């Protein structure tokens, strides 16, 4: 007898006559036949164990795959959060830099306006050059003289671009 398994299979015959005759009387020629269920039990047992092992391996692999995907998602989420935080910080820095540039530009404009006022003979703190409380003129005559190009003898000087052509 050859077996497809690497171990001997038991011989467990079941006779149909014993199932058909309640008291087990002699059934004649039919009583000589039997069905060997030993290899069937061995095959069923091995198939059952194979299914159990495959199921355990499959569940372990599925769980490992899900755990890997969960870790990847967490890493992606963490990277996205870090990227968003970095972008947010960059936007804050850009706003700070823009605010500083704007402040510097405002100060520069104020200085330019102050210089223009001083060149015009007006002090930026004196307003229009008159003291409104006393009603007296508080302008510096030398500044106005230079502005109006008034000479010391009282003549108003007229300058032109053609003076040096003579």
């Amino acid at each position: 007898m050859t077996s497809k398994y690497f171990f001997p299979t038991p011989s467990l015959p079941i006779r149909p006559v014993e199932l058909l005759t309640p008291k087990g009387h002699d059934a004649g020629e039919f009583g000589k036949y039997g069905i060997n269920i030993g290899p069937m039990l061995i095959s069923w047992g091995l198939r059952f164990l194979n299914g159990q092992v495959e199921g355990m391996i499959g569940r372990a692999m599925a769980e490992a795959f899900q755990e890997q995907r969960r870790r990847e998602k967490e890493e992606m989420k963490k990277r996205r959060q870090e990227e968003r935080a970095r972008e947010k910080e960059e936007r804050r820095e850009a706003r700070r830099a823009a605010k500083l540039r704007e402040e510097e530009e405002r100060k520069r404009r104020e200085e330019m306006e102050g210089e223009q006022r001083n060149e015009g003979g007006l002090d930026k703190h004196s307003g229009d050059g008159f003291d409104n409380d006393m009603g007296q003129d508080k302008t510096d005559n030398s500044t106005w003289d230079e502005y109006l190009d008034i000479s010391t003898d009282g003549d108003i000087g007229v300058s032109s671009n053609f003076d040096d052509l003579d």
Side-chain angles (χ1 to χ4, degrees):
M1 173 177 183
T2 61
S3 173
K4 63 180 184 176
Y5 307 109
F6 291 114
F7 55 88
T9 56
S11 176
L12 300 172
I14 294 185
R15 301 188 190 283
V17 171
E18 294 175 0
L19 299 173
L20 295 174
T21 57
K23 296 188 180 183
H25 296 304
D26 186 25
E29 288 294 318
F30 191 61
K32 295 178 183 175
Y33 293 103
I35 300 171
N36 189 9
I37 63 166
M40 288 187 239
L41 290 175
I42 297 294
S43 295
W44 180 85
L46 290 175
R47 279 195 307 272
F48 177 78
L49 289 175
N50 187 32
Q52 293 296 313
V53 170
E54 283 184 1
M56 288 189 319
I57 291 172
R59 283 188 296 275
M61 288 178 69
E63 187 177 320
F65 178 70
Q66 288 174 352
E67 183 65 28
Q68 181 183 3
R69 288 191 66 204
R70 193 174 306 123
R71 277 193 308 258
E72 288 174 357
K73 282 183 180 180
E74 287 174 1
E75 289 174 5
M76 288 292 291
K77 186 177 179 181
K78 194 180 290 185
R79 274 189 249 134
R80 271 192 238 122
Q81 286 177 344
E82 290 172 357
E83 184 176 321
R84 286 182 192 143
R86 189 175 58 249
E87 289 174 356
K88 187 176 182 181
E89 188 61 32
E90 288 173 359
R91 286 192 304 266
R92 283 182 180 168
E93 288 297 324
R95 281 195 302 262
R96 286 182 193 141
K99 195 179 275 188
L100 285 174
R101 283 192 309 269
E102 186 177 304
E103 183 68 24
E104 289 173 2
E105 181 66 23
R106 186 185 59 80
K107 286 180 181 178
R108 190 181 60 77
R109 267 190 260 122
E110 286 178 358
E111 289 176 5
M112 293 291 288
E113 290 173 2
E115 288 176 7
Q116 288 176 356
R117 285 184 191 151
N118 288 340
E119 287 175 5
L122 297 177
D123 187 14
K124 65 179 180 180
H125 297 294
S126 66
D128 58 355
F130 295 101
D131 186 4
N132 294 330
D133 293 338
M134 302 299 279
Q136 296 176 353
D137 187 5
K138 285 212 169 186
T139 58
D140 184 15
N141 289 337
S142 64
T143 307
W144 283 103
D145 290 344
E146 291 171 3
Y147 179 71
L148 295 174
D149 194 19
I150 298 175
S151 62
T152 56
D153 59 351
D155 294 337
I156 297 177
V158 177
S159 63
S160 106
N161 291 336
F162 301 109
D163 288 345
D164 57 345
L165 291 178
D166 292 337

